Amino acid sequence: MALSANWLDWLVLGIYFVGVFAFGLYMSRREGAATDFFLAGRRLPWYAIALSLFATNISSGSLVGMTGQGYTIGMGAGTLQWHAIFTLILLAFVYLPYYQRCSVTTIPEFLELRYGLSTRTLFALAVILFDMIVTLPYVFYSAGLVIEVIFGVPMEWPIVAIALLVAVYTAWGGLTAVVWTDSLQAIFMLAGGVIATLFGLQAIGGLDALMAQAADKMHVVFPADHPDYPFPASMFGGYLLVSVYYWCHGQFIVQRALGARAEWDARMGTILTCYIKLFLPFITVLPGVIAFVLFPDLSRPDKALPMLVAAVVPAGLSGVIIAALLAAFMSSASSIANSWATVLVNDVYHRLIDREATAQRLILVGRIATVFLLTAAVIRTPGLRENQSIMQFFQTGLAYISTPVIVIFAMGIFWRRATAAASLAAIVASPLICYFAQHMRQLTGFGPSQPSIVYWSPIAVAMTILLMMAVSRFTEPKPAAALKGLMWSGKDTLAFSVQLFQRRPIEGAEPAAIPSSRPGIWTDYRLATIVVLILLAAIMWFVR
């Protein structure tokens, strides 16, 4: 069933497209220095960081997919959103302080400081290839699938049209345009989810009626042998490990925090995102449960969201939901394209090819790289039709690239003995390690009975840790003086002081002074973290 939009929905959609495009161009007007293009001039406030993190994370395929998972499995699928809270806290309290204080532009740049140029380059090339072959084509394909399901039209031409729109404001405005358009699109996405949930609940008679008719789908604690969401593995197994890479080491996620105007803005914006993730399953997964009550015999769960919208949401508001789906696609695509260009320009072109490049040259190369990636992804997208499960394809790819990355970062800041040779060994050997862990049962007769990353990804990570420890024992580590400021310290990352509010240096401007007033308790992200963990525990207990 295709979602039929009337003239009012098309009007809302047209206003949305024009508004986003104009807003993106307007916010890019200050672009001039390289830091403007790649790090938004280090001017981003905490609320823009939080909204952009949320918008970047949620693609249109994710919205439709989560609703479909809610239809088939229920609220248990929400654990994929809730476990991200732990990794966001990990980012805020473990990794982000060091990224910020080292003033890096890219995540690979931090690896050069810790291990050396070879590790930085190898990781940068791996990210460039992965995002070009897997990440952005996945976003395009999932969005195209949504367009086919909702509108009943082939995906190719709509993808080309939206990619062109994204290319214009992303290539022209850089991260400034991306983050501020993300913030606007995040509002549409949240509004769309709330509208679908409220009208759905009204259609079935409220929350009590939902509990009476779909009580089995309102739980998150599934048996340990559940094929998709075994608890507690669904919260703390392979999905969590992939999430660590995604949130803590993914350039297109962390880049927003690197562009923060102060360390406090970066860390508070990250923690605020936890509150959005806390709320998210109730406007993405819950509509799927509602659709199950209204349409219990759907042949394709991915039709749950368009069916629900078509059945219960009035004209005009349907346009908001359609805009939310397209916003999810555009925000993910623009964020990935900008971060990809940032890595290519700073870690390959500027570091290895042209060390004397001017800011204008770097921006030009970044714009060309942005357009190139979007074009390559559009061309690559139709080939993904051959995959039986696009989500499994993406998750498997994430597990392969995340395994060495989370190990070399964690050992790099927690273990002084970790060496550059060990980091290179981990990156080079990880594809074989992951393949062995994934197919361990077939190869050895032992290991997990199911090939899900929930089970094999922790095994691969453990094997990579052992490899790094072994290589490090037989190779020379960096001297202690070279590691100053790179090793984790609870005193540095858990302290809360007025210095955290000092604005980051901006090209061509005088250094900002440290604020004179003492920060209030309401600005303490440590307290905000404790509150969100208490709320998460309460929600998990209630829907257990």
Side-chain angles (χ1 to χ4, degrees), residues 355-373:
R355 295 280 291 176
E356 304 301 322
T358 63
Q360 289 72 24
R361 173 61 64 86
L362 295 177
I363 292 172
L364 176 62
V365 175
R367 286 171 173 164
I368 294 172
T370 299
V371 174
F372 171 79
L373 175 64

Side-chain angles (χ1 to χ4, degrees), residues 5 71 190-191 200 245 248 262 312 321-322 330 415 441 459 487:
Y71 184 91
L190 292 170
Y245 164 76
C248 298
V312 304
I321 295 177
I322 297 171
M330 293 169 63
W415 191 38
R441 196 169 187 85
I459 296 174
M487 305 303 299

Side-chain angles (χ1 to χ4, degrees), residues 43-53 179-180 183 256 259-273 276 501 503 522-523:
R43 299 184 184 95
L44 297 178
W46 58 278
Y47 51 86
I49 292 170
L51 290 172
S52 184
L53 285 173
V179 168
W180 288 106
S183 300
R256 279 119 194 82
R261 62 189 180 186
E263 185 175 333
W264 179 85
D265 288 273
R267 298 173 77 171
M268 181 57 91
T270 302
I271 298 303
L272 179 61
T273 311
I276 301 177
F501 292 81
R503 298 293 174 89
W522 57 87
T523 64

Side-chain angles (χ1 to χ4, degrees), residues 136 140 163 166-168 170 333-334 337 369-379:
L136 192 54
F140 277 170
V166 169
V168 171
T170 304
S334 63
T370 299
V371 174
F372 171 79
L373 175 64
L374 289 167
T375 303
V378 169
I379 295 172

Side-chain angles (χ1 to χ4, degrees), residues 314-471:
L317 292 179
S318 297
V320 174
I321 295 177
I322 297 171
L325 291 168
L326 296 178
F329 166 41
M330 293 169 63
S331 61
S332 296
S334 63
S335 298
I336 294 168
N338 179 258
S339 67
W340 190 86
T342 301
V343 172
L344 181 67
V345 170
N346 290 277
D347 296 300
V348 179
Y349 180 79
H350 195 203
R351 185 68 178 86
L352 302 176
I353 299 174
D354 187 358
R355 295 280 291 176
E356 304 301 322
T358 63
Q360 289 72 24
R361 173 61 64 86
L362 295 177
I363 292 172
L364 176 62
V365 175
R367 286 171 173 164
I368 294 172
T370 299
V371 174
F372 171 79
L373 175 64
L374 289 167
T375 303
V378 169
I379 295 172
R380 160 82 171 135
T381 296
L384 298 186
R385 288 186 183 273
E386 301 172 4
N387 292 277
Q388 292 185 346
S389 172
I390 186 64
M391 181 61 74
Q392 185 179 20
F393 162 79
F394 182 58
Q395 288 179 338
T396 301
L398 272 180
Y400 270 69
I401 194 172
S402 67
T403 294
V405 175
I406 61 178
V407 172
I408 62 178
F409 270 93
M411 297 191 74
I413 70 169
F414 286 111
W415 191 38
R416 293 181 177 274
R417 193 67 179 74
T419 66
S423 68
L424 292 173
I427 295 174
V428 172
S430 65
L432 292 176
I433 292 175
C434 289
Y435 182 85
F436 175 79
Q438 185 180 11
H439 301 91
M440 180 183 293
R441 196 169 187 85
Q442 297 95 308
L443 295 173
T444 66
F446 301 98
S449 58
Q450 300 180 41
S452 170
I453 65 169
V454 169
Y455 303 104
W456 68 259
S457 179
I459 296 174
V461 167
M463 294 174 66
T464 306
I465 291 174
L466 293 175
L467 173 65
M468 276 202 70
M469 292 178 66
V471 176

Side-chain angles (χ1 to χ4, degrees), residues 117-160:
L117 179 60
S118 297
T119 302
R120 173 183 182 174
T121 303
L122 195 58
F123 175 54
L125 291 174
V127 169
I128 288 169
L129 290 174
F130 182 77
D131 285 348
M132 185 168 62
I133 296 172
V134 178
T135 307
L136 192 54
Y138 160 76
V139 170
F140 277 170
Y141 180 82
S142 60
L145 195 61
V146 169
I147 292 171
E148 285 190 344
V149 170
I150 292 181
F151 297 107
V153 299
M155 68 170 65
E156 284 76 12
W157 287 113
I159 284 179
V160 170

